[in-house]
Amino acid sequence: MIASARLRALGTSAVLCVTDPAVLPLARRELVRVLRQVDLMASRFRADSELTALNRRAGDTVRVSRPLFDAVALAIEVARHTGGLVDPTVGRALRLAGYDRTYVAVRARDGNFIAVSHRSPGWGSVELDAERSEIRVPAGVELDLGATAKAAAADAAAATVHEIGGAGVLVSLGGDVAVAGPAPAGGWPIRIADDHDAPLASSGPVVAVAGGGLASSGVAARSWRVRGGDRHHIIDPRTGSSAITPWRTVTATGATCVDANAASTAAVVLGADAPAWLALRGLSARLVRHDGSAVFVGEWPETEAQAA
């Protein structure tokens, strides 16, 4: 029997499922602990977060906590692995595009914000000293860990809950899904949607996941009006502006949730070349165009189950 809990965290919805109902209270406490740690460490919108303090000291070499160092190092590794398509140095570009506060506050604006593009020097400009746990962000550069920290939190929470309670676990954080331990018969059923806040009872294609991670990235759920047009939260590091893409939503699988998120985000940025890029890396994915038609890559089932 599957037991579940749902809560709000990191500006998004968090869903926790376990195969043993007796484990749920412990699992929920552990998830809350992980999410609080990530928020205090990596939020761009908290004046007291460690990431905010690091960005404020851009140009200096800063000794940081080991969790933040590891989070930045992971983001740099993802940037390297994706050829710079997913880059943590787009924080200033996000801010200048209008994403300078929580998404709820951004959406509440009147649309008169003047967005400006900004290209950073890229992930290779960030200096890491693992031995001393020190980071130097170049002057004028702001880090954003949104593409990796949330997915890493899902991976960490799922793994820890399984280790502590022994049950099969699914953790979903705003479309980033990680599973650990024994899955239910037939796998964990996951509904795919453009908006991660869609009601659980809403309709949509369903896939089954037995291990690893699944992530969706898209331009529909987090977009806002600015003077002269619209912007969304996926920045193309090559232009310093919201990615111009044929894809409304990309969902990809990976060995971990971090891997899946890196693939789905890179695919949105890459645009028309994304299917070939994903196939070359042996990944499975579903790419949905703005008109609702879909392209399937790898082992993704072209005949999708529907949940009503």
Side-chain angles (χ1 to χ4, degrees):
M1 177 179 178
I2 297 175
S4 65
R6 186 166 185 159
L7 58 147
R8 297 290 301 179
L10 306 182
T12 188
S13 59
V15 177
L16 168 68
C17 301
V18 292
T19 55
D20 181 358
V23 173
L24 185 61
L26 176 151
R28 191 182 189 283
R29 288 194 298 271
E30 180 59 24
L31 176 60
V32 169
R33 184 193 67 78
V34 170
L35 295 176
R36 284 176 176 168
Q37 181 185 52
V38 171
D39 193 38
L40 283 168
M41 176 188 69
S43 173
R44 285 195 301 122
F45 311 123
R46 295 184 62 133
D48 60 346
S49 81
E50 198 175 0
L51 180 64
T52 297
L54 176 62
N55 282 335
R56 196 179 293 128
R57 294 186 61 187
D60 297 336
T61 298
V62 182
R63 178 166 292 183
V64 300
S65 70
R66 198 68 205 184
L68 180 61
F69 182 90
D70 291 342
V72 174
L74 175 63
I76 295 298
E77 180 57 32
V78 165
R80 180 182 294 109
H81 181 70
T82 60
L85 294 171
V86 183
D87 190 323
T89 65
V90 298
R92 188 175 182 187
L94 270 170
R95 179 169 60 81
L96 295 176
Y99 201 178
D100 58 349
R101 58 199 68 189
T102 63
Y103 182 62
V104 172
V106 169
R107 284 297 300 269
R109 280 198 179 115
D110 60 8
N112 284 321
F113 183 90
I114 300 175
V116 178
S117 299
H118 173 76
R119 290 184 62 186
S120 79
W123 61 273
S125 66
V126 179
E127 300 174 16
L128 303 177
D129 185 333
E131 184 175 341
R132 297 177 61 84
S133 193
E134 290 180 343
I135 301 174
R136 182 184 179 277
V137 179
V141 171
E142 300 168 23
L143 297 183
D144 172 72
L145 302 181
T148 51
K150 181 160 59 69
D155 282 327
T160 302
V161 169
H162 169 60
E163 182 179 349
I164 294 173
V169 184
L170 176 146
V171 173
S172 174
L173 302 178
D176 290 345
V177 178
V179 300
W188 293 100
I190 300 173
R191 181 181 294 105
I192 309 300
D194 290 332
D195 186 352
H196 53 74
D197 280 331
L200 292 177
S202 61
S203 63
V206 174
V207 294
V209 174
L214 181 88
S216 293
S217 300
V219 302
R222 293 199 174 230
S223 61
W224 56 92
R225 172 71 61 178
V226 298
R227 188 177 297 182
D230 294 324
R231 293 291 186 273
H232 60 77
H233 74 296
I234 299 181
I235 298 293
D236 185 341
R238 300 168 298 184
T239 65
S241 187
S242 297
I244 299 174
T245 179
W247 313 118
R248 186 177 73 199
T249 305
V250 177
T251 304
T253 61
T256 65
C257 187
V258 169
D259 291 340
N261 181 277
S264 62
T265 304
V268 171
V269 172
L270 197 55
D273 294 330
W277 186 88
L278 292 163
L280 184 63
R281 287 156 178 77
L283 299 170
S284 297
R286 174 183 186 264
L287 303 92
V288 181
R289 300 185 182 93
H290 294 285
D291 65 4
S293 61
V295 175
F296 303 94
V297 177
E299 297 181 359
W300 195 282
E302 295 191 24
T303 302
E304 299 172 312
Q306 296 285 327

